[in-house]
Amino acid sequence: MKNTGIINTYDNNLRGALFRNLDATETNKQPNYRGVTEIDGKKYDISGWVETSSMNSKLKGAKFLSIKLSLQDNMLDEVITQSQAKEEIAF
């Protein structure tokens, strides 16, 4: 492949992917799917559980994916450090 000197940059903002979690069972309550996404330059872990609707409507019994976003640990450490620094410097 010829190197053209052009660097491709991709904007991954508001994009992500979920992958099946093979370790998930009903007893350990781990998410059925896991992945990552990026929102405004911050990376988040995505967890997803397959659920069944219990609503009293035509959706009762329908399968859906319940999701949770969590700031990635290394990003969370950075946020905590910054907030601690602000508290320590408050004059």
Side-chain angles (χ1 to χ4, degrees):
M1 184 171 179
K2 184 179 179 183
N3 184 356
T4 61
I6 298 173
I7 299 174
N8 290 331
T9 58
Y10 297 97
D11 181 8
N12 287 324
N13 193 45
L14 301 178
R15 294 180 182 256
L18 285 171
F19 298 92
R20 190 170 225 4
N21 177 11
L22 300 177
D23 296 328
T25 66
E26 286 185 34
T27 56
N28 69 16
K29 300 190 181 203
Q30 288 188 16
N32 302 104
Y33 293 88
R34 286 187 171 161
V36 295
T37 187
E38 185 176 325
I39 302 172
D40 294 331
K42 295 179 183 170
K43 294 189 180 190
Y44 292 83
D45 293 317
I46 309 170
S47 299
W49 292 265
V50 176
E51 303 282 349
T52 303
S53 174
S54 60
M55 295 174 54
N56 291 327
S57 69
K58 62 183 177 182
L59 294 176
K60 185 172 184 168
K63 298 281 186 183
F64 67 96
L65 192 60
S66 172
I67 63 170
K68 176 183 174 185
L69 298 176
S70 304
L71 197 56
Q72 283 190 346
D73 287 341
N74 60 344
M75 298 295 286
L76 187 58
D77 291 342
E78 184 178 313
V79 170
I80 290 170
T81 303
Q82 288 176 357
S83 71
Q84 287 173 342
K86 287 179 184 177
E87 289 175 12
E88 291 174 8
I89 299 175
F91 291 94

